[in-house]
Amino acid sequence: MSFYTSLSGLQASQTDMSTISHNLANVGTNGFKKSRTEFADVIASSVSLSPTQMVGSGTVVKANRQQFGQGNLIQSANTLDLAISGDGFFAVKPDIDAAKVNFTRNGGFQVDSDRYVVDAQGAHLQVYPVDGSGTVVATGIDSATSLRLPSTSGAAEATGAVTMSVNLNANSAVPATATFSRFDPTSYNQSTQTTVYDGEGNPQTLTNYFRRDTATAGGSEWSVFSFVGDQQLASGGADKIPLAFDGTGALVGTPTATNFDPFTVASSTIPQQFSFTFGADTTQTAQPFNVGARSQDGKAVGQIQGVTIDERGLVRASFSNGDTQAIGQVVLANFANPTGLRQLGNSYWSPTGVSGEAKLGSAGAGGFGNLMSGTIERSNVDITEELVGLIAAQRNFQANAKALDTASQISQTIFNIRS
């Protein structure tokens, strides 16, 4: 009997060392949760045997129980690195069409070539759909979708009107060159550039050249030549906008819009037309040339520039045209008995009858931890603790091996007596 008792101790110690070795091997695995081997004693008894005479029959491995304590949280520069401070798991799907959902504590996510947010294995992060205000519009695992970052936002809007207020320098001399040429800086006094947009949302550069035509004590006149790219703009055949100022430097007359004739830029096939208006604040003083105000109503298609995830798990994308868009809320899951989850490898778990069904929610809600963006949860393995446990398991193994050797020697002695 002592042979089998010692053998059970050897097997138990070997299992314990294997568990500890697995923990140590994954000390650098993000989101990994260590396991602990639990044992129970084995007693062979019968109704007729006195309780004071019962002898144990060894040990048995009762469970390899996972320990879901919090791992260390490490800061990172990646917004899509997520960590849960407290209880909960991320929900991920192996691919967009998969029906199965796995759960993980490893929040190291990135963007794939199709703009889906995925983990290192390519599994898609699941989010709840939201409306424009960021309010969740559907819940449940069947309503969850794979998080995908939009590439653009908004529709292109061609520039229809430009307004500008400037101050022209009253001390500017009339150019000696009689004919204006944008390639000859001596033929004009000042220039300024404004970004406008064509019908496809492509940015174009509107350049206005200011040339002083006359200069008298009673006032002066200016001409403004306008170009979009290399194309000169005209209005009713006139290739310039006249400006007149009185002796005080005030603009003569009420500002009116100049409607340029339709034109087509090289980057677009859509004819474009817009108006240009000098504001009432346009002046001529002894101060240097200055653009006091400028506005245009065109708009480009916004290109995605960044992603933010708040403590509730709400994902927002920002775009180059100033738009922001709520695109989902990260789904978190929890279980009645997390230690009953089935390990799948790659820091994945799946529910079992022991763990119970997944309870879904969002960060910060009852039963769920807080979500931290730009943070990674490391393994919860304590190297010192595991090494001490490994030494203890080794000593247990050696003690049981010694007991087995002693039983063998006793048996051999008995056999020698009989012979």
Side-chain angles (χ1 to χ4, degrees), residues 314-337:
L314 182 62
V315 185
R316 290 185 180 274
S318 57
F319 300 86
S320 58
N321 61 356
D323 288 349
T324 59
Q325 182 180 341
I327 55 179
Q329 187 175 50
V330 176
V331 175
L332 294 188
N334 206 354
F335 300 87
N337 179 27

Side-chain angles (χ1 to χ4, degrees), residues 49-252:
L49 186 62
S50 171
T52 60
Q53 297 179 340
M54 294 171 60
V55 178
S57 302
T59 187
V60 64
V61 175
K62 194 68 175 179
N64 267 329
R65 197 172 301 279
Q66 299 174 78
Q67 307 296 302
F68 283 92
Q70 182 80 52
N72 291 329
L73 301 179
I74 306 299
Q75 297 294 316
S76 80
N78 181 11
T79 302
L80 295 177
D81 282 342
L82 303 177
I84 303 170
S85 177
D87 296 331
F89 297 82
F90 298 107
V92 296
K93 285 187 176 181
D95 58 68
I96 190 172
D97 297 321
K100 181 180 179 181
V101 178
N102 295 327
F103 302 93
T104 182
R105 292 279 298 193
N106 184 359
F109 296 105
Q110 56 194 348
V111 182
D112 69 5
S113 58
D114 295 320
R115 305 193 310 280
Y116 285 101
V117 177
V118 298
D119 63 13
Q121 287 72 46
H124 293 215
L125 176 64
Q126 298 300 290
V127 296
Y128 287 134
V130 297
D131 60 17
S133 66
T135 302
V136 175
V137 297
T139 58
I141 196 63
D142 293 334
S143 300
T145 61
S146 297
L147 178 59
R148 189 182 193 188
L149 304 183
S151 59
T152 60
S153 174
E157 181 180 330
T159 296
V162 178
T163 302
M164 182 184 300
S165 295
V166 299
N167 177 69
L168 299 175
N169 190 346
N171 297 323
S172 297
V174 176
T177 305
T179 304
F180 165 77
S181 172
R182 66 191 181 101
F183 301 110
D184 183 3
T186 64
S187 68
Y188 58 88
N189 299 92
Q190 300 290 343
S191 66
T192 185
Q193 295 180 326
T194 304
T195 299
V196 296
Y197 297 92
D198 63 23
E200 297 175 358
N202 299 312
Q204 306 291 335
T205 300
L206 166 66
T207 305
N208 299 111
Y209 298 91
F210 297 83
R211 173 187 169 92
R212 192 170 194 177
D213 296 325
T214 63
T216 65
S220 62
E221 297 178 348
W222 294 71
S223 294
V224 183
F225 300 88
S226 302
F227 288 77
V228 173
D230 294 328
Q231 186 168 353
Q232 185 171 9
L233 305 185
S235 176
D239 62 356
K240 62 184 179 181
I241 302 173
L243 290 177
F245 298 90
D246 61 22
T248 65
L251 189 65
V252 176

